[in-house]
Amino acid sequence: RISGPCSLGGATLTGTSTGNCVFSATKAADPNYKPSTSNDVTVVVTALPLTVSYPANPLTIGTPAYLSPTVSGATGPVTYLLLFGPLPPGLIFDPATGVIRGTPTGPAGQYPVAIKVTSGAATFVASLTLTVQAPVQPIPTLSEWGMLILASLMVLAAGWRGRRFGLR
């Protein structure tokens, strides 16, 4: 027998919402034992605490960013509110989804923000620091360096030959 906000699957009791779950077990009779029933057992089902996290950053100037929150312990619809910022230039906050997205335009630096998340009666404030960095400049490859050195040597050689044969 089971009552309250829970369900039984095999030998696993699962809370389906908050409240008191009452159950008792029954063992059928067999050749060795009489039937038996346990006393009622009450389990209080409580909600997990509301928590919110955002993916790690840094963000790079000129590179599109999409930071979606991970929410656990929600007991109903979730709402989001940007409490303080500002966000780095080029990024926007979507209060319907909690997503921070866009392409940072700079300047590089750290931008502390706080986002208030509410679900049912629970509230959580996610504090995070968005770090924006300048794009990494590529280092020339060996073939690029080789071409630069070869071109320089050719210019030097042409100048040396011209002086040797009196072309200058």
Side-chain angles (χ1 to χ4, degrees):
R1 176 179 80 83
I2 188 167
S3 65
C6 51
S7 64
L8 185 63
T12 302
L13 182 70
T14 303
T16 56
S17 66
T18 59
N20 292 335
C21 183
V22 180
F23 67 95
S24 62
T26 302
K27 181 180 181 323
D30 63 32
N32 298 319
Y33 298 99
K34 295 180 182 179
S36 65
T37 302
S38 69
N39 293 329
D40 284 349
V41 176
T42 301
V43 175
V44 178
V45 180
T46 58
L48 293 173
L50 179 65
T51 60
V52 180
S53 63
Y54 279 84
N57 54 93
L59 310 172
T60 302
I61 294 171
T63 301
Y66 187 88
L67 303 174
S68 180
T70 300
V71 179
S72 63
T75 58
V78 178
T79 60
Y80 302 88
L81 175 66
L82 181 62
L83 287 180
F84 69 85
L87 292 175
L91 297 182
I92 61 169
F93 174 74
D94 184 346
T97 62
V99 169
I100 299 170
R101 62 182 167 82
T103 302
T105 58
Q110 294 189 329
Y111 298 82
V113 297
I115 298 167
K116 179 180 175 182
V117 182
T118 305
S119 177
T123 298
F124 182 86
V125 176
S127 296
L128 61 148
T129 299
L130 299 173
T131 301
V132 176
Q133 63 187 11
V136 177
Q137 296 299 322
I139 298 173
T141 64
L142 182 57
S143 62
E144 291 170 335
W145 279 109
M147 291 299 291
L148 289 171
I149 292 169
L150 180 60
S152 298
L153 288 174
M154 289 174 67
V155 168
L156 287 173
W160 178 78
R161 288 183 81 206
R163 270 190 249 129
R164 185 172 177 214
F165 294 109
L167 298 175
R168 282 200 178 189

